[in-house]
Every structure is written in structure tokens, then in C-alpha cells.
Amino acid sequence: MPDLLRALLPRRCPGCNRQLGREAGLCASCRAGLIPRLEAHSPLSARSAPHLVTLGPYRGVSRRAVHALKFGGARDLAGVLGGALAAGVPAAWQVGAVVPVPLHSRRERERGFNQAALLAQAVAAALAVPCVPALRRTRATAQQARLHAHERTANLAGAFQADARRLPPGPVLLVDDVMSTGSTLKACRDALQAAGVGQVYVAVVAR
């Protein structure tokens, strides 16, 4: 959206509800609060080692921004959130490609886009590496948020397939909007590794 059009349209910041003016996605104050953090402890890793980049807990600005992107169609937010995530990815990871967590094709058609793909594209652009849709859902699954923790792993068993031939050599950064139990990200990581990817790091807006 051009800057002039942004300034003319009455839009509110999803993070704080103030007028956005010429800003894209979030106001300057809310952007300043998006501080990437490198985490060594999560359900994704049995040992303590940096493997996850987030912008913090799923509350406040992060929660409202994800909700506006996912359900409000505020696609400008993908660039803001993705850029903030990319700033937290260590150069030592030597990420060769960014891979989004896929939606089932039916759900993506209903929503009109995959928010993880929009975030992944922004992260990849900031890191100057390709964004590669190397994962696909092989079947529709029940929404994870509606399931008990012990049901989530079974719900995702065999739900993802990876095509590593599409990826350049090197570690991969897997991107999604939110991590709760980590079941979806684990299933995606396992599919990538089963296809021959050696190292998979993860970036999510919130957890």
C-alpha cells in the first residue's frame, strides 16, 4: 500500500489501537517492542542449545498482531513481524533456505493465504536466502487448538511430506506464526529430516 494512501485511510494499529498514519502494519511504538530472542529451551529440543527465535510470549502486541494477520487479513504485518524475526537469526546458523509450515490446500483456499508463508517470505527476504515451500500437508487435520495435548501428536502423524530436492544445501529455518505445544513444528521438522535435511532451526512470532 503506498505511503500516501496509508496516510489518507483511517487505520488503527492492531497492537495498540492508535491511528497508524503512514506506518505499515504496526505503529513505531509497537514495532519497538518486537525484540527477537534466541531460545535454547522448548518442546522442540531435548537438550539445551539455541534452536528457536521468537518475539516473545503469545500475549499483548504479538498476540493482537498475529490475530490481525491471520484472521483480519492485515498482510502488511507479515513484513513487520518477519523482519523482526530475521533480525534474531544468528549468522552462525548459516541458514540456506526458509521453509513455511503449510496449510492444507482446502484451508488455504478458504482463508485466501497462508500466514506462515507470508512470514517466511519476509524472513527469507531479510536474510537474502530463498523461501522454499518444501513441505506439504498430505491430509487435512483437526485444528490443534481444539485438541488435548495427548491428541495433538496423533492428529499430525503422517500429515506432512517434504521434498528436500527443492532445497539448497545447508540448514533450514522453519517458520510459523505461533508455537503452543510444538507438535506441528515437530512433525514438520521430522518430515524435513526424514527427507535428508540435516539441521532444522525454527522461528515463530510467539509461543
Side-chain angles (χ1 to χ4, degrees):
M1 184 184 296
D3 286 349
L4 179 59
L5 186 57
R6 287 196 186 99
L8 293 174
L9 290 176
R11 300 172 305 122
R12 294 191 176 275
C13 173
C16 64
N17 206 36
R18 297 173 186 163
Q19 287 292 335
L20 270 176
R22 291 179 180 268
E23 296 286 347
L26 289 173
C27 69
S29 177
C30 287
R31 285 174 183 242
L34 298 178
I35 301 172
R37 58 186 73 184
L38 186 59
E39 303 196 23
H41 302 277
S42 87
L44 301 174
S45 180
R47 62 189 182 90
S48 176
H51 63 279
L52 173 67
V53 177
T54 81
L55 300 181
Y58 186 49
R59 62 173 182 251
V61 172
S62 294
R63 182 187 182 104
R64 291 190 289 271
V66 167
H67 194 273
L69 170 63
K70 195 170 181 176
F71 303 112
R75 300 192 190 193
D76 279 357
L77 285 164
V80 176
L81 298 172
L85 277 177
V89 176
W93 283 4
Q94 297 184 313
V95 169
V98 178
V99 176
V101 170
L103 284 176
H104 187 266
S105 57
R106 183 183 65 198
R107 190 170 297 169
E108 186 166 349
R109 284 194 301 271
E110 291 170 352
R111 185 171 296 166
F113 63 95
N114 175 7
Q115 72 280 355
L118 297 180
L119 289 166
Q121 289 161 13
V123 172
L127 295 178
V129 299
C131 177
V132 183
L135 284 164
R136 69 179 183 90
R137 284 191 185 248
T138 58
R139 61 180 175 82
T141 57
Q143 290 189 17
Q144 290 289 90
R146 298 179 179 178
L147 301 176
H148 294 294
H150 68 276
E151 297 174 313
R152 296 185 178 190
T153 300
N155 181 50
L156 293 169
F160 298 98
Q161 187 173 57
D163 184 358
R165 295 172 300 178
R166 306 180 64 182
L167 293 166
V172 161
L173 183 68
L174 181 63
V175 171
D176 203 1
D177 55 349
V178 177
M179 181 181 81
S180 50
T181 66
S183 299
T184 299
L185 290 161
K186 283 180 185 177
C188 289
R189 179 197 61 194
D190 291 348
L192 287 165
Q193 292 180 333
V197 176
Q199 180 66 57
V200 179
Y201 296 106
V202 177
V204 297
V205 175
R207 59 173 298 201

